[in-house]
Every structure is written in C-alpha cells, then in structure tokens.
Amino acid sequence: MGIEEHVEEPIVLLVGKNMSGAFRLLEWLQRLGSEYHITASYQEARILLEKHRFDVVLSETSLPDGNAYRLISALRESPASLFFCLAVEDTYWWLPAVTQGRDCLGVPVLRPAEFARLLQGTLFLARLRQTASRC
C-alpha cells in the first residue's frame, strides 16, 4: 500500500515488531475505512513521520532500536495522536501519549473496549478534518 497525501481516509502508522501479526487490529482498521502502514523500528517510523501525514500512531513500547517514548517528541505539535500498546494477559491495553499534538501522559490506560470507542472517534474526527481541508 503506497502512502498518498491526497487520500481522505485516516492513515494509521503501526510501530513495532509484533504489529504485522496483529491481524484482528489490522482487519478492524480496514473495516473502519483506514489506511495503515507498518514499521518495525523507531528509526523507520521517524523517517515516515517526517515525510508523510499520519492521523494515529499505534506503537509498542519496546522497539528494537530504542525506546518508543521518543515518538512523543516526534508527534508534539502535529495533528496526530499516539497510543502505546501494553500486553496484559491475553490482550492489549492502550496508553494515550499524545492527542492531536498535545502530551496526555498520566491519563488512565484504556482497556480494549474503551480504546475501540476512542479510536473510532479519533479516526472519525481525522476524516472530518481531511474533508474540511478540501473545502
């Protein structure tokens, strides 16, 4: 899937070595009408973030080339939102880190159903922003 700047669908960047195996998450993003791209490392993510627009970044906290928390500074002052996934038993909980360019560390972690609702709303707002910018 190529990254196209004219695409009106929300674009999600998944960062981490296990993200390509998150089939349920990938299928769900497709059903929500989102385009997604997967990268395994911080460095690859940083390069993509410098060149392309992403509405949401979903990242593992442990990356092969360093700490994913460095993504916070990469997304500050941008319209993107960043969530870290935390493995808990047989599921993932999600930690909001940046919401539309503003730090939000310290907010409670989101369980899967809470995260699903928030992500749906975030992607909906991203689609609205894209549509409004075209008018």
Side-chain angles (χ1 to χ4, degrees):
M1 216 184 290
I3 299 174
E4 304 284 336
E5 291 301 326
H6 67 278
V7 173
E8 290 192 22
E9 293 89 21
I11 304 174
V12 179
L13 178 61
L14 296 109
V15 184
K17 62 184 177 194
N18 297 316
M19 287 297 194
S20 61
F23 298 116
R24 289 175 50 201
L25 177 60
L26 300 178
E27 288 174 357
W28 187 61
L29 288 171
Q30 286 180 322
R31 280 196 316 269
L32 290 174
S34 298
E35 181 179 335
Y36 64 84
H37 303 276
I38 303 170
T39 184
S41 70
Y42 167 79
Q43 195 59 35
E44 291 171 5
R46 182 70 186 206
I47 290 168
L48 286 174
L49 289 167
E50 288 173 359
K51 295 181 178 182
H52 305 284
R53 171 192 63 84
F54 290 93
D55 300 296
V56 174
V57 178
L58 306 176
S59 179
E60 296 175 357
T61 54
S62 178
L63 298 176
D65 60 350
N67 188 322
Y69 290 99
R70 296 188 309 182
L71 289 169
I72 294 171
S73 61
L75 293 170
R76 246 183 227 126
E77 308 297 324
S78 79
S81 294
L82 168 65
F83 298 88
F84 292 119
C85 64
L86 308 167
V88 177
E89 295 178 16
D90 62 345
T91 189
Y92 288 99
W93 288 9
W94 296 88
L95 177 64
V98 176
T99 300
Q100 295 180 357
R102 294 182 312 263
D103 290 7
C104 61
L105 287 175
V107 300
V109 69
L110 302 167
R111 294 180 182 193
E114 298 165 318
F115 175 69
R117 285 189 299 274
L118 180 62
L119 185 59
Q120 271 184 299
T122 301
L123 295 173
F124 176 77
L125 290 174
R127 185 173 284 114
L128 284 178
R129 277 194 309 274
Q130 284 294 336
T131 302
S133 70
R134 303 278 179 247
C135 297

